[in-house]
Amino acid sequence: LADRSYPIIVTLGNYSSLGEGISEHCGARSIVIICDDKVATHYLDPVTAKLAEQGFQVFCQTVPAGEGSKKLAVVEGLYDSLFDHALERSDAIVALGGGVIGDLAGFVAATFKRGLDYVQVPTSLLAMVDSSVGGKTGINHPRGKNMIGSFHQPRLVYSDITALSTLPARELSCGLAETVKHAVIRDGQFFDWLESNSDKIMNLDNECMLDLVHRNCSIKAAVVATDERESGLRGILNFGHTIGHALEILYSPKGMLHGEAISLGMVAASRLAVRRNMIPDETASRLEGLLKAFNLPVRLEDEVVVESVQEAIKNDKKVQAGKIKFVLPTAIGDCSFVEDLTSADIQWAVESLNG
Ligand SMILES: NC(=O)c1ccc[n+]([C@@H]2O[C@H](COP(=O)([O-])OP(=O)(O)OC[C@H]3O[C@@H](n4cnc5c(N)ncnc54)[C@H](O)[C@@H]3O)[C@@H](O)[C@H]2O)c1
Ligand SMILES: [Zn+2]
């Protein structure tokens, strides 16, 4: 990304080299760590200590954990605290947490005094493998998720897989959904590797997790590097996210998580690819098998209202000139865009998710 390029460090070591990493890549003197209250109980003290040891003046600001913090009122509160701490243009923000904190703190960094440096220190697997890389920042609006935001690349991404030990199991699976997505769209060998190592991964084997995060970041970074602002290729990262987002809107009030909705969305998209003779049935079954191994849903528990899904898809921000661009697999490791799916196709795919 030319002068917006940044290193992605994947390590295991209680944040021991975080301070040096930040000194090397940011000229900041003061740092505000933005964190959620759950992550703070585990990692805020050690991270603060490492940065203070490095000579930074460190301030911390926590927000309530959860998607509800991705809103303008919380952003305003954070701006106030940055003023209180007299943060200057040359200072930096550290986003310590999952994707919610990464998106929120990144947006604050993108907009405060027209843009500060920030460092992503992802603590959820989803954030390590997906949201911390690529520079998409933003918050939600009552009319839609992630509708207010900006592209603002971090100066450094520092993933310490130490944090995964406290991550709830369902959240781990959600990160694995994005992992499977990356493998399906770009890297068949990685998919094979995930199949062979699924038990070790579910047990958080350190070597495997270091490898897994690293390989995901390579795939995502390569896609972002060719299309930073999503005018073309970056759209393949939306595999599973068209029907998935629609299901998330309908079922998140009942507790469905993003990765779980995406798991179902990938199953539906692979069924569509079978229907269009783009892949054989066995390929779709392999995908389902891997998702199941990662404790992800491949069928809906209650009967879905297809019309509601269709409606939610129409309102998706990825719809352009009324056309819905689907990403469908052409093999494990490859995919293409398909724009001529009919609502009957989509109906069929969504119904195929019924138990
Ligand atoms: N910017 C992007 O490119 C991009 C991509 C994908 C998703 N996202 C966004 O990311 C968000 C989802 O991210 P997420 O799944 O990380 O959600 P999250 O940040 O809400 O984290 C999930 C839960 O896990 C907890 N948690 C995180 N790390 C922990 C740890 N190490 N130990 C214990 N608990 C921990 C959090 O407190 C939270 O309760 C959504 O808002 C989504 O829109 C952004
Ligand atoms: Zn996603």
Side-chain angles (χ1 to χ4, degrees), residues 95-267:
L96 174 66
V100 163
I101 290 298
D103 282 13
L104 172 72
F107 182 67
V108 169
T111 47
F112 187 75
K113 300 194 175 175
R114 296 207 181 86
L116 302 184
D117 284 352
Y118 76 115
V119 173
Q120 290 274 17
V121 184
T123 59
S124 70
L125 184 64
L126 183 138
M128 291 182 191
V129 303
D130 190 354
S131 61
S132 64
V133 174
K136 275 191 185 176
T137 75
I139 53 171
N140 302 322
H141 186 276
R143 305 273 186 98
K145 196 169 151 61
N146 295 329
M147 286 290 177
I148 311 298
S150 142
F151 286 93
H152 185 52
Q153 300 293 346
R155 284 284 163 202
L156 170 70
V157 180
Y158 187 101
S159 287
D160 193 322
I161 64 157
T162 307
L164 297 178
S165 61
T166 53
L167 188 69
R170 271 179 79 192
E171 301 292 351
L172 180 79
S173 292
C174 285
L176 292 170
E178 306 289 1
T179 299
V180 172
K181 174 189 82 177
H182 286 147
V184 172
I185 59 174
R186 282 301 251 195
D187 192 341
Q189 281 182 357
F190 183 37
F191 191 96
D192 298 341
W193 181 88
L194 291 169
E195 283 180 326
S196 328
N197 291 285
S198 60
D199 285 344
K200 282 185 172 173
I201 293 166
M202 290 302 276
N203 289 309
L204 291 180
D205 173 88
N206 285 335
E207 285 306 313
C208 272
M209 295 317 286
L210 285 167
D211 243 14
L212 181 145
V213 174
H214 179 224
R215 291 173 83 161
N216 270 292
C217 291
S218 305
I219 294 169
K220 178 142 187 199
V223 172
V224 171
T226 56
D227 177 22
E228 187 180 0
R229 289 182 167 247
E230 199 170 326
S231 47
L233 182 77
R234 188 166 178 171
I236 66 171
L237 297 171
N238 293 322
F239 170 53
H241 281 61
T242 309
I243 290 176
H245 263 159
L247 294 173
E248 187 181 4
I249 291 167
L250 300 176
Y251 290 95
S252 62
K254 293 187 182 169
M256 187 183 280
L257 300 175
H258 174 76
E260 295 166 346
I262 297 320
S263 176
L264 292 160
M266 290 191 285
V267 170

Side-chain angles (χ1 to χ4, degrees), residues 62 83 91 213:
T62 54
F83 281 118
D91 291 326
V213 174

Side-chain angles (χ1 to χ4, degrees), residues 9 15-26 50-51 53-54 56 156 158:
I9 295 172
Y15 298 100
S16 57
S17 59
L18 178 62
E20 289 126 65
I22 298 181
S23 303
E24 208 176 307
H25 300 285
C26 299
K50 290 289 178 291
L51 301 191
E53 269 167 32
Q54 194 68 29
F56 292 112
L156 170 70
Y158 187 101

Side-chain angles (χ1 to χ4, degrees), residues 30-48:
S30 293
I31 287 181
V32 172
I33 302 173
I34 298 178
C35 188
D36 80 32
D37 52 10
K38 279 197 205 163
V39 171
T41 61
H42 301 288
Y43 307 107
L44 189 54
D45 288 347
V47 165
T48 305

